[in-house]
Amino acid sequence: GFPHRLGPRGSLLLACVLLAAVLSLLFVFGGPVNQGRLGATALAAGLVVGVAWAGLRDRPRLGFRLTIAAAGAIVLLVALSPDALRS
């Protein structure tokens, strides 16, 4: 599939870009900023930076685990942002 064509480094860097884009959209359009949302955003941002670091250092297993953790932190941000789910 597509991840195999990109290779481990490309896949992790693409995941980093996509996670950062989703994180920024949720933070900007997710409602009022409070301590919980700010903490979840900081956690997710740190994990996304970790994904980029793992991709640049050729550590695909660590990068995969950090990608899952960053996605979980983004889900936490959604859970703390009730306005993000309203249409």
Side-chain angles (χ1 to χ4, degrees):
F2 190 60
H4 287 88
R5 289 179 187 251
L6 289 176
R9 176 179 283 185
S11 295
L12 286 175
L13 294 178
L14 179 62
C16 178
V17 169
L18 293 174
L19 287 168
V22 170
L23 178 62
S24 63
L25 285 173
L26 282 174
F27 185 73
V28 171
F29 298 111
V33 177
N34 57 27
Q35 269 188 323
R37 287 192 66 230
L38 194 59
T41 301
L43 174 65
L47 290 168
V48 169
V49 169
V51 171
W53 178 84
L56 293 173
R57 299 285 182 199
D58 287 328
R59 308 235 1 225
R61 288 183 185 204
L62 176 63
F64 176 76
R65 289 184 180 115
L66 289 172
T67 301
I68 298 300
I74 290 172
V75 168
L76 178 64
L77 179 62
V78 170
L80 294 173
S81 309
D83 293 341
L85 299 178
R86 285 192 189 150
S87 55

